[in-house]
Amino acid sequence: MKRYQVVGIGNAIVDVFAQADDNFLEMMGIEKGIMQLVERERGELLYAAMKNRVQAPGGSVANTLAGLGNLGMTTGFIGRVHADALGRFYADAMQKGGTDFVNAPVEGGDLPTSRSMIFVAPDGERSMNTYLGISSELGPEDVADDVAGSAEILFLEGYLYDKPKGKQAFERAAKLCQAAGGQAGIALSDPFCVDRHRDSFRHLVRDLDYVIGNEHEWSSLYQTDLEAALAQAAQDSGLVVCTRSGDEVILIRGSERTVVPVRRVVPVDATGAGDQFAAGFLFGLATGRNMETAGRMGCVAAAEVISHFGARPEANLGDLFAAEGLI
């Protein structure tokens, strides 16, 4: 059985990029600068309208795994794609990037591979239109015992809680990981996601070993101010991580509280900042670093990804950690 340092479970989404001016966005009824979910018919219309498409494997957890792969870790990804052109591209791209795509593309069936159509305006503003497709059908049958059960660390994506089968897949994966002595945790993903699943997330926090969220997600989870929310979270979860959009990162384990300063930089593209913070933090967790070092690693990885376009690191993160005296 192969041992994975980190296994992720989340939406397998192909990011499809195309240039588009404001006139095109207005003509297509695309609201500039936001992310919205679209239905299949709308997704096919937008995909067909894209000129000179460029595609890349995406999805929040998959981006984090790419960062961990950059750091030389052994990683696996539990996701669901169709056996269409985009699905085969996604699976191959993950393998080439060093992450095992453990589930074969699904033959037959009606739903195509998930894709996010990202229109980039001349001013750099991105308008994202995401069709979830087959990824939304991820379920417990996609979680193999010898994958989740061989993970030293399991990383879950809160977005999958929008579907009952996704929730069941999470719970199965977490139990398998923890039963084998691994650590299971989640990224809360989005304040609106927290709003939709508050009760389930509160139960989940109590069952997991670590939880990563930003200040808005933590406040939403406990419906109170940040300090009160973190105090409650510290009682519920083994390790609590709170990022704060350029302000200090707070990490709490029991009565131990660590505050990690953030070096402010002007972002070129903020896409993927949370995903790469998670990559740096999980690298620290997986390699036995203390909370401060793991938090600092997360901040260095996030700073790298916002310095350029794209949600995945371009520089060698290990070299950046070494330059900061972290390894």
Side-chain angles (χ1 to χ4, degrees), residues 184-207:
I186 192 171
L188 294 176
S189 294
D190 182 277
F192 299 109
C193 186
V194 174
D195 289 343
R196 292 192 295 271
H197 307 292
R198 184 172 289 109
D199 290 342
S200 292
F201 276 9
R202 284 187 181 179
H203 285 294
L204 194 64
V205 165
R206 288 193 285 271
D207 292 335

Side-chain angles (χ1 to χ4, degrees), residues 7 11 16 18 41 108 117 186 195 201 219 238 241 249 279-280 290 295 297:
V7 168
N11 283 309
V16 186
E41 185 176 350
M117 287 137 292
I186 192 171
D195 289 343
F201 276 9
S219 294
V241 183
V249 175
N290 60 29
M297 287 175 165

Side-chain angles (χ1 to χ4, degrees), residues 213-252:
N214 65 34
E215 56 189 322
H216 306 296
E217 292 156 1
W218 284 116
S219 294
S220 173
L221 183 63
Y222 292 103
Q223 296 179 289
T224 186
D225 64 86
L226 181 62
E227 281 305 317
L230 292 179
Q232 181 61 51
Q235 294 180 31
D236 290 347
S237 181
L239 175 56
V240 172
V241 183
C242 177
T243 59
R244 298 193 296 156
S245 299
D247 290 327
E248 297 96 337
V249 175
I250 301 170
L251 303 96
I252 305 173

Side-chain angles (χ1 to χ4, degrees), residues 8-11 59-62 64 132 138 155-168 170 185-198 200-201 204-205 208 210-213 217 221 275:
I9 176 170
N11 283 309
S60 180
V61 164
T64 296
L132 289 178
L138 184 78
F155 186 45
L156 310 173
E157 179 181 314
Y159 287 122
L160 275 183
Y161 250 62
D162 279 332
K163 295 283 186 177
K165 286 181 67 177
K167 180 178 177 180
Q168 293 164 17
F170 268 13
I186 192 171
L188 294 176
S189 294
D190 182 277
F192 299 109
C193 186
V194 174
D195 289 343
R196 292 192 295 271
H197 307 292
R198 184 172 289 109
S200 292
F201 276 9
L204 194 64
V205 165
L208 295 178
Y210 66 91
V211 182
I212 304 171
E217 292 156 1
L221 183 63
D275 302 339

Side-chain angles (χ1 to χ4, degrees), residues 6-284:
V6 182
V7 168
I9 176 170
N11 283 309
I13 301 174
V14 178
D15 288 337
V16 186
F17 299 88
Q19 300 291 326
D21 59 24
D22 289 349
N23 289 334
F24 175 87
L25 298 179
E26 184 176 352
M27 180 182 70
M28 298 300 296
I30 298 169
E31 191 169 347
K32 188 177 180 181
I34 68 164
M35 193 287 279
Q36 57 186 0
L37 296 177
V38 298
E39 296 300 325
R40 181 172 183 171
E41 185 176 350
R42 171 74 170 164
E44 290 176 346
L45 173 69
L46 294 177
Y47 185 74
M50 301 180 89
K51 302 282 197 249
N52 300 315
R53 293 185 295 251
V54 176
Q55 59 196 37
S60 180
V61 164
N63 290 337
T64 296
L65 293 173
L68 289 163
N70 179 287
L71 287 158
M73 306 209 86
T74 55
T75 57
F77 181 55
I78 299 170
R80 192 173 177 87
V81 298
H82 192 267
D84 51 19
L86 283 180
R88 288 190 292 271
F89 163 78
Y90 192 96
D92 290 345
M94 291 295 289
Q95 291 288 156
K96 288 175 182 174
T99 293
D100 285 351
F101 191 78
V102 299
N103 296 327
V106 178
E107 299 283 352
D110 183 49
L111 293 176
T113 296
S114 312
R115 75 282 311 265
S116 181
M117 287 137 292
I118 303 169
F119 296 91
V120 185
D123 61 3
E125 192 88 53
R126 293 180 171 209
S127 307
M128 303 172 68
N129 298 264
T130 302
Y131 168 59
L132 289 178
I134 198 171
S135 185
S136 63
E137 289 194 331
L138 184 78
E141 67 277 7
D142 295 305
V143 179
D145 290 23
D146 61 354
V147 176
S150 68
E152 295 173 19
I153 291 176
L154 181 72
F155 186 45
L156 310 173
E157 179 181 314
Y159 287 122
L160 275 183
Y161 250 62
D162 279 332
K163 295 283 186 177
K165 286 181 67 177
K167 180 178 177 180
Q168 293 164 17
F170 268 13
E171 292 169 350
R172 171 172 163 74
K175 286 176 183 175
L176 285 166
C177 173
Q178 291 173 320
Q183 299 181 74
I186 192 171
L188 294 176
S189 294
D190 182 277
F192 299 109
C193 186
V194 174
D195 289 343
R196 292 192 295 271
H197 307 292
R198 184 172 289 109
D199 290 342
S200 292
F201 276 9
R202 284 187 181 179
H203 285 294
L204 194 64
V205 165
R206 288 193 285 271
D207 292 335
L208 295 178
D209 300 289
Y210 66 91
V211 182
I212 304 171
N214 65 34
E215 56 189 322
H216 306 296
E217 292 156 1
W218 284 116
S219 294
S220 173
L221 183 63
Y222 292 103
Q223 296 179 289
T224 186
D225 64 86
L226 181 62
E227 281 305 317
L230 292 179
Q232 181 61 51
Q235 294 180 31
D236 290 347
S237 181
L239 175 56
V240 172
V241 183
C242 177
T243 59
R244 298 193 296 156
S245 299
D247 290 327
E248 297 96 337
V249 175
I250 301 170
L251 303 96
I252 305 173
R253 178 186 279 130
S255 60
E256 183 184 0
R257 179 186 178 111
T258 300
V259 178
V260 176
V262 172
R263 186 181 303 150
R264 285 183 171 271
V265 297
V266 178
V268 173
D269 176 11
T271 307
D275 302 339
Q276 296 312 319
F277 173 87
F281 167 76
L282 291 175
F283 177 82

